[in-house]
Amino acid sequence: VEIVKTLREGSSSEGSKVHFDGFVLKANKKEIPIPTQLFINGQFVDAEQRRVLDNINPTNEELLCRVACASRSDVDKAATAAHNAFYGAWRQVSARQRGQLILKLADLMEQHKEELATIESVDSGAVYTLALKTHIGMSIDAWRYFAGWCDKIQGNTIPVNPARPNNVLTFTKKEPLGVVGLITPWNYPLMMLSWKMAACIAAGNTCLIKPAQTCPLTALKFAELTVKAGFPPGVINIVTGKGSEAGQAILEHPLIRKLGFTGSTEIGKTVMRACAESNLKKCSLELGGKSPLVIFADCDFEKAVKYGMSSVFFNKGENCIAAGRLFVEDRIHDEFVRRVVKDLRSMVIGDPLQRSTAHGPQNHRAHFEKLIEFCERGVQDGATLVYGGKPVPNTKGYFFQPTVFTNVEDHMFIAQEESFGPIMLITKFHGSDIESVMRRANRSEYGLASGVFTKDIAKALAFADNIEAGTVFVNVYNKTDVAAPFGGFKQSGFGKDLGQEALNEYLKTKCVTIEY
Ligand code: TAP
């Protein structure tokens, strides 16, 4: 990775008319111009007083660039631009044209997918091959999927009681909410943006988004593509900065009517309170998880090992639906642990841009340090550390060893709290005691995802019936799709991303009654 030069005002990226200050990232045999300013009303602009935040490369802990840090008044400018666009130019765009614009944007993302994946990999530490397939691939899928909905958003005619001798016609219309604020985390930066924004824009809203401060670069590159696609100014605005300032200003802004949030349960509560107190914004919250994965001895063992591994180590554990706890039937427990450790020994850890790498650096320092403490706490509380548990020795960057704990008991801190890192926690259970393992799997305030491995269909369906989680995987894990609704129960939040249900998060229903 090399930073070639700093772009000055007036420079433009190849073939586009959009001007920005930024830098050229030389990585992956590419030279990629990347904006580092706010994107408001179709233009890249400095934050007030030219405030910036350092952006650190997690692979080498060096300064990658400085990115604009939005203040309350920058957020106000973005919200005003979105408001004006909603009541102005965006209204002139028909539903079908909206779909076409989104498809054009998706095509541009596809054309630039290697650049976007390279940026994502350098900025967030995601392994390049995964970034290409998931972080960027699923982002493009989300835009295409929601583009298809644009001209299929429709209401109903409803047979109400007639006011005889007259007749009555009652029908509903689905309307956009107006200006939407979006706030997203750092684990899949562009994908979290896309999951929310694609549904929001397809429904006819305008928006401003504050991406996570540790990796905002794909959002800014994406902003450049929205100009190339031809979105009217103000429809999409990007305000990079701090959650405590720009984020909080979004929560409180009186022109914003809906807040789509993905992040921690703790901040989710702040979001909901601020939405209520400001102007009673509608909100949807995708929050933390501690998803249970139950592996019965009658499973396809090879599959259970493969998916058991990816349920924890996918995207270095920075995966909201990661299995936070594995319950493995006693008859296969020891063999399962042996196989996982064997596979971990050959897992290639290193530069996320290398095609052979399977495990990159954690996203940022605070998170990395939290994982060290998490593992120390596990050892103190008496769980058995079988593998890893520490940073990779003698290396720069936030590289944490994939970790396995066994003998994890329900009362332990590590059994209850989310790690959001590459830490597998295994507990044994007796195969005759299905009820008790179900109870233990449900004994959590989270309810995001879950999984079960068994060849017994009745057992699998009983699990799906009784588990308190928004997503259930049977004999597979991490199998999400843009057409399938995604979101949690209990303190994992409410309101779905993806699928038809996500559209409703960004729509309101108007009921019209006519007497004739
Ligand atoms: P948070 O600390 O909650 O941050 C999420 C976003 O909220 C960031 O953009 C953050 O900005 C912003 N924020 C922080 N304080 C704010 C405030 N007072 N007002 C408004 N916005 C504020 O979470 P995180 O540490 O980035 O992400 C990890 C958590 O997200 C985990 O718990 C994980 O489970 C959850 N997560 C859930 C899902 C789903 S789909 N359920 C998906 C991914 C992640 P800064 O970047 O400036 O802090």
Side-chain angles (χ1 to χ4, degrees), residues 183-187 192 210-214 241-244 247-248 251 261-265 267 270-271 286-289 320 418 420 448 486 492:
I183 297 178
T184 46
W186 40 261
N187 56 342
M192 289 294 108
K210 193 209 82 66
Q213 63 172 285
T214 60
K242 294 183 189 168
S244 55
Q248 192 72 31
L251 304 184
F261 176 80
T262 295
S264 61
T265 296
I267 303 293
T270 305
V271 169
E286 298 288 352
L287 309 176
C320 47
E418 183 181 32
F420 219 53
L448 191 55
F486 179 98
S492 290

Side-chain angles (χ1 to χ4, degrees), residues 71-303:
S71 66
R72 210 162 255 277
S73 81
D74 293 313
V75 166
D76 185 53
K77 286 178 201 158
T80 305
H83 180 80
N84 291 341
F86 183 75
Y87 291 100
W90 199 223
R91 286 227 157 160
Q92 310 307 318
V93 178
S94 73
R96 200 153 299 158
Q97 286 171 328
R98 204 160 70 226
Q100 293 299 323
L101 260 178
I102 295 178
L103 286 174
K104 192 159 173 211
L105 174 64
D107 286 348
L108 283 162
M109 290 169 76
E110 176 101 48
Q111 283 163 27
H112 289 82
K113 69 179 178 198
E114 288 169 1
E115 290 184 9
L116 289 166
T118 303
I119 302 171
E120 202 77 300
S121 183
V122 171
D123 201 14
S124 80
V127 167
Y128 176 75
T129 45
L130 180 71
L132 197 59
K133 181 166 173 273
T134 302
H135 295 62
I136 311 305
M138 203 172 178
S139 298
I140 298 168
D141 283 353
W143 286 99
R144 292 211 168 116
Y145 171 79
F146 283 108
W149 274 114
C150 289
D151 60 359
K152 298 165 197 74
I153 296 170
Q154 54 199 30
N156 296 309
T157 53
I158 299 172
V160 299
N161 248 5
R164 288 203 172 88
N166 292 339
N167 283 314
V168 175
L169 170 65
T170 291
F171 64 91
T172 57
K173 294 176 71 186
K174 295 279 186 188
E175 297 185 346
L177 297 162
V179 181
V180 174
L182 303 172
I183 297 178
T184 46
W186 40 261
N187 56 342
Y188 297 101
L190 189 65
M191 194 174 92
M192 289 294 108
L193 173 151
S194 300
W195 281 21
K196 295 198 181 301
M197 201 190 284
C200 163
I201 294 295
N205 302 281
T206 59
C207 71
L208 58 156
I209 184 167
K210 193 209 82 66
Q213 63 172 285
T214 60
C215 37
L217 297 182
T218 40
L220 293 171
K221 189 71 188 167
F222 165 87
E224 186 196 343
L225 300 182
T226 67
V227 180
K228 289 187 181 177
F231 276 86
V235 172
I236 292 169
N237 302 277
I238 318 261
V239 281
T240 50
K242 294 183 189 168
S244 55
E245 193 177 358
Q248 192 72 31
I250 293 176
L251 304 184
E252 292 169 8
H253 202 284
L255 290 178
I256 299 176
R257 294 292 165 197
K258 149 94 198 188
L259 204 292
F261 176 80
T262 295
S264 61
T265 296
E266 184 196 349
I267 303 293
K269 291 181 184 182
T270 305
V271 169
M272 198 166 164
R273 266 192 298 269
C275 285
E277 278 165 14
S278 54
N279 58 345
L280 208 63
K281 289 176 188 68
K282 180 175 172 172
C283 67
S284 47
L285 305 171
E286 298 288 352
L287 309 176
K290 186 77 180 170
S291 303
L293 171 60
V294 178
I295 302 178
F296 287 102
D298 61 2
C299 66
D300 174 335
F301 186 74
E302 291 304 314
K303 236 180 141 184

Side-chain angles (χ1 to χ4, degrees), residues 374-386:
F374 188 90
C375 289
E376 284 170 358
R377 188 75 192 265
V379 173
Q380 276 165 22
D381 288 354
T384 309
L385 178 63
V386 177

Side-chain angles (χ1 to χ4, degrees), residues 4-75:
V4 180
K5 64 174 179 188
T6 302
L7 297 173
R8 299 272 170 242
E9 208 164 356
S11 330
S12 69
S13 75
E14 198 189 356
S16 90
K17 287 192 212 85
V18 56
H19 298 275
F20 54 75
D21 281 1
F23 71 107
V24 177
L25 176 71
K26 192 174 175 191
N28 235 352
K29 299 189 188 126
K30 293 186 194 324
E31 292 196 5
I32 310 168
I34 305 174
T36 51
Q37 293 173 291
L38 309 179
F39 181 69
I40 298 177
N41 207 23
Q43 291 187 327
F44 285 96
V45 292
D46 283 331
E48 279 217 340
Q49 297 168 344
R50 298 193 160 218
R51 286 198 319 158
V52 288
L53 281 174
D54 287 353
N55 190 7
I56 305 297
N57 180 342
T59 302
N60 58 19
E61 301 178 53
E62 286 170 11
L63 181 71
L64 185 58
C65 62
R66 292 199 167 89
V67 176
C69 176
S71 66
R72 210 162 255 277
S73 81
D74 293 313
V75 166

Side-chain angles (χ1 to χ4, degrees), residues 290 324-327 333 374 378-379 381-386 404-417 423-429 440:
K290 186 77 180 170
R325 243 185 122 181
L326 271 67
F327 296 89
H333 173 275
F374 188 90
V379 173
D381 288 354
T384 309
L385 178 63
V386 177
V404 180
F405 277 99
T406 55
N407 295 317
V408 177
E409 290 172 24
D410 295 1
H411 63 85
M412 292 176 182
F413 174 84
I414 59 170
Q416 290 169 10
E417 296 298 321
I423 302 173
M424 184 181 274
L425 306 172
I426 306 178
T427 302
K428 236 184 250 187
F429 72 95
R440 295 170 73 197

